[in-house]
Amino acid sequence: MKISRRSIDIAGLRDITQRRIPVLVADSHEPGPVVCLTACIHGDEVGGTAIVHDVFARFRRNGLQRGKVYAYPLVNSLGFENVSRFITADREDLNRCFPGDAVGSMGQQIARRLFDAIVKAGPDLVIDLHNDWIRSVPYVLIDPPQEFPNRKLYRQVLNIARATGLLLVEDSDVFHPLANTLAGALTGAGLAALTIEAGGSFAVVEDGVAAGTRAVLSALATLDMIAATDDEIAAGSRGAPLRYTDHPLCTTSGLLRFAVEPGQAIKAGQLLATVYSAFGSTEEKLRAVAPGFILGLEDHARALPGRAVIAVAESS
Ligand SMILES: [Zn+2]
């Protein structure tokens, strides 16, 4: 097994510096699956970078049995340096730019370079590593069945997602148009892709990194690429995916106080949060639309009409 470093040129800047996406490659020199790991597409979501580091440290210690792993540990270095979700030069959300455009906007050009590099690697699986609100639990997000070009690919992604042992959530295009995310564009191109949200953004949250690393190692073990011990990998899950929603949205403005915690099971109609006026009177009570689990809570206390402040995985 050999680990090598390379880079993808992405953007020539005005000061004639060239920006690059760093690439780590672990090559077992044995035939087998190809897996790609992408991290920090949103520049303030840094936990995925640490997950890549920990997964590669594990390769150095224990090797890779077969196949190859390509990792892109810091996709959005421009956002990372500015502690911003966006490509800060033009405030674009890179994860809404895929599959990209070689002559499009800066975000679209960067997306195209990365997308082409991933497709050229010929991956059997792509795991895109993200982080969520500061107060959030790790979960794995897959596209809904209708987004897949065929049933076989959906089953393949569902099996890997279950193997991660994380709370399994299906994205809902009712609330979040999936078009132009990396995972969505790869799915559209007939490739197996899923997204892991590994706890809070901004700082490296170690329990989120541990959960994400375990999830990635579990996926690699499922593909027989590593020989993992039971304590390194997840036990896996079986049930149907839960459904992502950010409802109820706020309809008033004011100070937001939550009545629930991330990871908590909730019932339909349960009080989730209350919005107060500056004088302390109740403006609004947000109640659960359906039973499920709290995935995450907004980082700020500011409620505004139409604003999503809570992420819920609905079980019905
Ligand atoms: Zn993200």
Side-chain angles (χ1 to χ4, degrees), residues 41-42 44-45 85 95 128-132 195 197 201:
I41 279 185
H42 292 135
D44 54 0
E45 299 178 13
R85 174 183 182 86
N95 208 29
D128 189 20
L129 299 164
H130 285 255
N131 295 92
D132 210 330
T195 301
E197 299 279 351
S201 303

